[in-house]
Amino acid sequence: MPSFDDALSDPTSANPADALPLLPARNTSRDVLEALSLMIETQGLTVGDRLPTEVDIAKRLGVGRAKVREALTAWQNMGIVTRNKKAGTVLAAEVSSNAIQLPVTVKLEAESLLRTHAVRRPLEIETVRLAAQNCDADHRRIIAARAAELIAVYEAGEDWRAADYRFHAALQDACGNPLFGQLIRQIQQGFNEVYEVPFGQAHLGQASIPIHLPMADAVIAGDADTAAALMEQILSMVEDEIRQVMQAMGARDV
């Protein structure tokens, strides 16, 4: 199979300098990954192919090695690459726009979000189930307050993302196992390091916000099954919205 190094070193290959243009001075991890995504597709690299070293990528893009490491670590957290000293950085997921009519960078963002969402799903559901079973009076008070805050901010038409984060953090604190919160934050961090605002839509999943209140009520009442079912409904709504945005963007770009 071809490797990224082959594309960089083979003078007969498609112009690698064009595939990895120098980035502007104010670059981000997303800029680095967008350049790599386009290069990977152009060179026809697939799952199992090796990417070059951080030093080579940094030199080709004209950025610092720390920025490349940060970007590749984000991809690792999202399951797009695997990394170890012996094998280097290897593609673990397809980076191609062939399967859907979307630009490769947008498709990769969508697939990364769906992959992250799929891993979070069982963790989030079990978190609310355990919170309903284990929360004490203090936790119930905090969950009620955070739910009220979230709904108030949402109904006021304001940015509800911070309130939503605090609400879910309260559920994670109440579940009795700190690993759930740690894992959920770690998974989400990998995506947010690159795609702070998915598809440029800050309030993705907004339609699910009203359901958070009855879910909080179920947790407070100790009704684990209802709380878990409502969390599953919320997650399904978010996933459906992601797919709808993908379809809309694909239709727009055809």
Side-chain angles (χ1 to χ4, degrees):
M1 290 186 291
S3 76
F4 198 116
D5 289 326
D6 294 334
L8 290 177
S9 60
D10 182 0
T12 65
S13 66
N15 190 342
D18 291 338
L20 280 175
L22 293 176
L23 295 179
R26 297 185 63 185
N27 59 78
T28 64
S29 293
R30 183 167 186 158
D31 294 328
V32 173
L33 294 181
E34 285 184 349
L36 286 172
S37 298
L38 292 172
M39 194 287 312
I40 288 168
E41 184 180 41
T42 300
Q43 298 296 332
L45 303 185
T46 60
V47 173
D49 289 338
R50 181 169 54 89
L51 274 65
T53 65
E54 294 173 358
V55 172
D56 288 338
I57 296 173
K59 180 178 179 181
R60 181 65 63 181
L61 291 176
V63 300
R65 182 178 178 182
K67 181 62 65 177
V68 173
R69 183 183 300 114
E70 178 183 286
L72 290 176
T73 297
W75 259 9
Q76 181 182 25
N77 290 339
M78 289 185 279
I80 296 171
V81 298
T82 60
R83 307 184 75 205
N84 62 64
K85 291 183 178 180
K86 180 175 290 187
T89 301
V90 177
L91 280 178
E94 181 186 8
V95 178
S96 169
S97 61
N98 294 334
I100 186 171
Q101 293 298 322
L102 285 173
V104 62
T105 52
V106 175
K107 177 175 177 285
L108 187 62
E109 177 179 355
E111 290 179 343
S112 299
L113 183 54
L114 288 172
R115 189 180 296 111
T116 299
H117 191 76
V119 176
R120 285 183 57 183
R121 188 183 192 99
L123 294 173
E124 297 274 15
I125 292 172
E126 188 62 17
T127 293
V128 297
R129 183 183 297 278
L130 290 173
Q133 295 171 348
N134 298 329
C135 66
D136 57 23
D138 286 339
H139 286 132
R140 287 193 289 270
R141 175 181 55 80
I142 294 171
I143 290 169
R146 296 306 187 200
E149 175 194 23
L150 173 59
I151 298 302
V153 172
Y154 165 78
E155 291 181 344
E158 299 172 355
D159 188 344
W160 46 263
R161 288 176 296 172
D164 183 58
Y165 177 86
R166 289 190 290 271
F167 171 71
H168 286 279
L171 293 173
Q172 293 157 15
D173 288 342
C175 81
N177 187 336
L179 286 178
F180 279 90
Q182 292 173 20
L183 288 170
I184 291 169
R185 287 190 294 272
Q186 180 179 344
I187 292 166
Q188 191 62 28
Q189 182 182 2
F191 183 86
N192 286 344
E193 285 175 352
V194 181
Y195 307 111
E196 183 178 356
V197 181
F199 309 120
Q201 300 190 25
H203 295 134
L204 195 66
Q206 179 163 291
S208 71
I209 295 301
I211 303 174
H212 286 60
L213 185 57
M215 182 178 70
D217 290 340
V219 171
I220 292 169
D223 187 346
D225 289 341
T226 298
L230 289 170
M231 175 56 84
E232 186 165 10
Q233 181 181 350
I234 289 168
L235 294 167
S236 295
M237 291 176 69
V238 174
E239 181 176 342
D240 288 345
E241 187 171 345
I242 295 169
R243 296 188 184 280
Q244 289 167 10
V245 172
M246 288 176 64
Q247 291 175 359
M249 296 184 75
R252 186 185 66 194
D253 291 318
V254 170

